[in-house]
Structures are given as C-alpha cells and as structure tokens.
Amino acid sequence: DVQLQASGGGLVRPGGSLILSCTVSGFAFDEYNYGWFRQAPGKDREGISAISSSDGSTIYANSVKGRFTISRDRTRNTLYLQLSNLKPDDTAIYYCARAPAQLLSFQARYYDTWGKGTLVTVSS
C-alpha cells in the first residue's frame, strides 16, 4: 500500500522544540518530492516546507523560516521536520505529503498523496 505515516506530535511549551517524522512505504522514496503542511484551528491549510528528491534543496514559508528545518533519510525512507522556538501560533495538525519530482513547491495543488496528521500543541 502507498502510505505516509506522520508521528511525533505532542504538547510543548513556548520556546521549546519538537521533531516530527514521516515514514513512507509502497513507492520509490527517491522519485518524489516531499512537503510539510499544517492546519491550525479555524484556519486554512498552510504549506510550510518542502524538500527535493534529487538534490535535497529546501524551501520554507516565511512563517517558519529560521525556526523549522526539513530533512530526509533515504536509508530509512523517512522525512523529518525539526520545529524550534515554538510559538502558540504554531499549534496545528501537521501533515506530510508527496509530490511528483518536477518542481519544488509547498502549494497543496502539486501533492498527490497525503499522510494522516499529527497534532502539535504549543502552550504553557
């Protein structure tokens, strides 16, 4: 089966850090780009980061640039998102997704398969 499985969410205090993981299976990991998205309560889905399958280049939304880091481990077929200096506004359900490796984007229209979200709550 084609699957993306996100995990690692939880409760963290403002200023804290968290690492999210997304394991993929059922398809060739290296033939797709990957992205992270989030949806906060009452808000639209927001693309926050993406990584290229070919050279590992990355892009970030302004809302997370300098605080979040996307990475991959090809030996484990796993995508990661490191969240640092967390703010209450970062509270959201976070999703990982794949896209054809033709362009690097975090616009949802380019992504064809999505994992289930994992909840990150930033609160004191």
Side-chain angles (χ1 to χ4, degrees):
D1 293 340
V2 175
Q3 295 186 45
L4 294 87
Q5 297 180 326
S7 62
L11 176 64
V12 62
R13 298 180 65 179
S17 300
L18 201 64
I19 300 176
L20 306 182
S21 300
C22 176
T23 57
V24 305
S25 61
F27 59 90
F29 183 82
D30 291 345
E31 294 182 2
Y32 292 86
N33 295 341
Y34 297 91
W36 284 98
F37 299 78
R38 68 184 182 184
Q39 188 164 18
K43 296 185 178 181
D44 293 333
R45 180 175 52 190
E46 176 190 17
I48 56 175
S49 188
I51 186 167
S52 170
S53 65
S54 59
D55 61 6
S57 59
T58 59
I59 56 173
Y60 297 92
N62 289 335
S63 59
V64 306
K65 190 173 184 178
R67 299 189 299 119
F68 293 6
T69 302
I70 189 171
S71 62
R72 65 184 178 183
D73 185 341
R74 289 180 169 182
T75 66
R76 298 181 181 274
N77 289 353
T78 301
L79 178 74
Y80 299 98
L81 185 69
Q82 301 179 51
L83 297 74
S84 300
N85 299 319
L86 284 162
K87 306 174 181 179
D89 285 349
D90 294 320
T91 296
I93 299 175
Y94 285 73
Y95 302 88
C96 56
R98 76 171 194 183
Q102 298 176 4
L103 79 166
L104 190 62
S105 172
F106 49 66
Q107 295 190 11
R109 67 171 68 185
Y110 299 109
Y111 290 80
D112 60 13
T113 307
W114 296 75
K116 294 181 178 179
T118 185
L119 177 64
V120 174
T121 302
V122 184
S123 176
S124 61

